[in-house]
Amino acid sequence: MSALNRCPHCGRDTIARLIKLTARAKAPAVCPECGGRSCTGITPLSLFGYFALILVCGTLLRLAARTGNRWSLLAVLALFGGGFLYISYRTPLVKLERYPLQRNIAIAVVVAVFAAGGWWFYNDIRM
């Protein structure tokens, strides 16, 4: 029997792990007990953290490949795999929001801030 995850609506452990890992806003996980729809709670800020983890692992992977040390290469791959498993299993399910426009506005603001910072950094280096 596979481990079950807690439904954010009724609070019972009814949602299978595989269903949770594939639950998105367009294809939500449906609780068999209460019928509540939920998806994984990945926010733009947590996506930035995951992106940073991928950058660090990619940099270390490149360094390990250049040095030719197999143990460091295996350590980086273990770090990357462990980070993926942590993200996959520890990301909670959340209720679907009533107003998806709020989420899209938040994502647009984060993208605009990073684009403005990148533009400023690029122009600062050129001078």
Side-chain angles (χ1 to χ4, degrees), residues 35-47:
R37 298 168 3 126
S38 56
C39 64
T40 53
I42 298 177
T43 62
L45 185 60
S46 65
L47 280 177

Side-chain angles (χ1 to χ4, degrees), residues 5-124:
N5 293 295
R6 187 170 305 273
C7 171
H9 297 280
C10 64
R12 294 186 220 138
D13 295 330
T14 56
I15 299 174
R17 185 168 288 161
L18 183 62
I19 299 297
K20 178 198 148 199
L21 291 178
T22 60
R24 302 288 177 256
K26 296 204 185 249
V30 179
C31 176
E33 295 290 325
C34 67
R37 298 168 3 126
S38 56
C39 64
T40 53
I42 298 177
T43 62
L45 185 60
S46 65
L47 280 177
F48 177 70
Y50 302 150
F51 180 69
L53 174 70
I54 290 171
L55 276 178
V56 167
C57 288
T59 304
L60 291 175
L61 185 64
R62 176 78 176 179
L63 181 65
R66 282 186 172 234
T67 60
N69 188 351
R70 290 183 183 151
W71 291 109
S72 60
L73 181 63
L74 287 175
V76 170
L77 291 177
L79 177 67
F80 189 72
F84 174 75
L85 288 176
Y86 179 78
I87 290 166
S88 298
Y89 291 116
R90 299 298 287 176
T91 302
L93 282 169
V94 294
K95 298 176 186 177
L96 282 175
E97 61 231 1
R98 295 181 97 176
Y99 306 106
L101 180 63
Q102 292 175 347
R103 179 188 52 159
N104 294 338
I105 289 172
I107 290 172
V109 166
V110 169
V111 167
V113 166
F114 280 108
W119 178 78
W120 173 79
F121 184 72
Y122 175 74
N123 284 333
D124 191 43

